[in-house]
């Protein structure tokens, strides 16, 4: 796979580059956030690996700018900032995964492969479906409610897609974590609750038509 690594510490970048190259990947290294943004916009990559603490532009802002420009390349944050707040902030910025340093190369490799598989999976649903005033186009990654466009992050869209594929079925938090984020990164299930709340605020505005239901003690259901 073709990977972009944005890491400002030369020793760390060298170690990661060597490990990924030995796994057969082609790795491009950017030493700061601004150069990383330029490289990501100039070339096509299978996965982007970002540190957060970067010179010229931090990883969070880099990620937000890529998503703002509709760059949907899978992004993994690889950083020493490992609190739940940092992880949620990173995912909310548009990242697909978050791995805390120190890490094992086997886990990084597994996450890269998981993101690449997820990117290549065909969508089983019809291209566009509608429930009441809510319309979802899977091909365009577009959600509208009536005439209003609902802006979702890539993670929020994956969560909505998984809920829709399993509509009218109770999904546990662990099922959602596994299928939406791909790998359990040992942060409990709080991120699922946080993202369900994000999604609710965007698509469940109409009190007469609630789609996402909490099933106490069990999980969540998209009910139609």
């Amino acid at each position: 796979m073709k990977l972009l690594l944005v890491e400002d510490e030369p020793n760390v970048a060298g170690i990661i580059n060597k490990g990924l190259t030995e796994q057969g990947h082609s790795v491009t290294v950017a030493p700061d956030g601004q150069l990383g943004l330029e490289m990501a916009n100039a070339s096509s990559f299978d996965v982007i690996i970002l540190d957060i603490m970067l010179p010229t532009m931090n990883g969070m802002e880099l990620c937000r700018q890529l998503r703002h420009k509709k760059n949907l390349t899978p992004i993994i944050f690889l950083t020493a900032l490992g609190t739940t707040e940092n992880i949620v902030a990173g995912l909310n910025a548009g990242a697909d995964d978050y791995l805390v340093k120190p890490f094992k190369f086997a886990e990084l490799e597994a996450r890269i492969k998981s993101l690449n598989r997820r990117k290549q999976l065909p969508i089983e649903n019809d291209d566009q479906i509608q429930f009441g005033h809510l319309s979802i186009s899977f091909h365009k990654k577009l959600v509208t409610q009536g005439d209003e466009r609902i802006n979702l992050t890539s993670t929020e869209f994956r969560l909505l897609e998984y809920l829709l594929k399993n509509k009218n079925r109770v999904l546990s938090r662990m099922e959602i974590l596994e299928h939406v984020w791909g790998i359990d990164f040992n942060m409990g299930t709080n991120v699922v609750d946080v993202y369900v709340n994000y999604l609710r605020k965007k698509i469940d505005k109409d009190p007469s038509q609630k789609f996402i239901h909490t099933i106490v003690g069990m999980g969540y259901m998209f009910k139609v």
Side-chain angles (χ1 to χ4, degrees):
M1 277 181 274
K2 188 178 177 183
L3 309 177
L4 174 61
L5 170 64
V6 188
E7 169 61 66
D8 65 314
E9 292 289 339
N11 291 339
V12 176
I15 292 170
I16 296 173
N17 186 6
K18 182 176 183 293
L20 293 174
T21 301
E22 288 176 351
Q23 293 295 322
H25 301 295
S26 172
V27 183
T28 300
V29 180
D32 63 67
Q34 184 60 46
L35 188 57
L37 179 64
E38 293 171 7
M39 288 181 171
N41 286 328
S43 301
S44 176
F45 294 94
D46 294 302
V47 176
I48 298 171
I49 304 167
L50 288 181
D51 193 5
I52 290 180
M53 304 300 290
L54 294 168
T56 69
M57 178 186 299
N58 68 50
M60 294 283 191
E61 181 59 26
L62 197 166
C63 184
R64 280 191 287 265
Q65 289 207 26
L66 288 175
R67 296 310 188 219
H68 180 71
K69 294 178 181 179
K70 308 303 180 186
N71 186 324
L72 300 179
T73 304
I75 293 174
I76 302 175
F77 274 122
L78 186 60
T79 175
L81 302 177
T83 68
T84 298
E85 289 76 13
N86 290 136
I87 295 171
V88 170
L91 296 172
N92 200 35
D96 300 275
D97 204 348
Y98 196 110
L99 184 59
V100 179
K101 300 174 183 175
F103 64 95
K104 295 182 179 179
F105 264 103
E107 184 174 6
L108 177 59
E109 175 71 6
R111 290 169 185 251
I112 290 170
K113 288 181 177 178
S114 175
L115 287 178
N116 194 56
R117 282 196 305 270
R118 185 190 304 163
K119 181 181 66 174
Q120 296 174 351
L121 283 175
I123 294 172
E124 297 174 0
N125 306 71
D126 293 334
D127 176 56
Q128 185 160 336
I129 58 175
Q130 185 154 349
F131 302 104
H133 296 298
L134 185 67
S135 177
I136 302 99
S137 171
F138 294 100
H139 178 70
K140 296 179 180 178
K141 306 294 184 186
L142 178 66
V143 180
T144 57
Q145 201 156 30
D147 296 327
E148 179 187 2
R149 177 170 178 164
I150 308 298
N151 293 316
L152 301 182
T153 67
S154 59
T155 305
E156 289 167 350
F157 191 88
R158 284 202 311 277
L159 173 59
L160 177 60
E161 184 178 4
Y162 183 61
L163 292 171
L164 284 171
K165 285 181 177 179
N166 294 276
K167 61 183 180 294
N168 298 320
R169 184 169 84 83
V170 180
L171 298 170
S172 72
R173 289 168 176 81
M174 292 309 296
E175 282 182 291
I176 296 171
L177 187 65
E178 178 183 352
H179 287 87
V180 175
W181 281 270
I183 295 176
D184 180 0
F185 35 79
N186 298 320
M187 58 175 293
T189 58
N190 183 55
V191 69
V192 174
D193 301 316
V194 169
Y195 268 83
V196 167
N197 285 331
Y198 287 158
L199 198 55
R200 274 178 167 156
K201 289 177 181 177
K202 294 183 177 182
I203 71 168
D204 267 351
K205 298 177 182 178
D206 184 356
S208 66
Q209 188 177 45
K210 295 291 184 182
F211 294 109
I212 303 174
H213 297 260
T214 300
I215 311 301
V216 178
M218 298 177 69
Y220 296 101
M221 175 193 292
F222 191 97
K223 191 174 182 180
V224 295

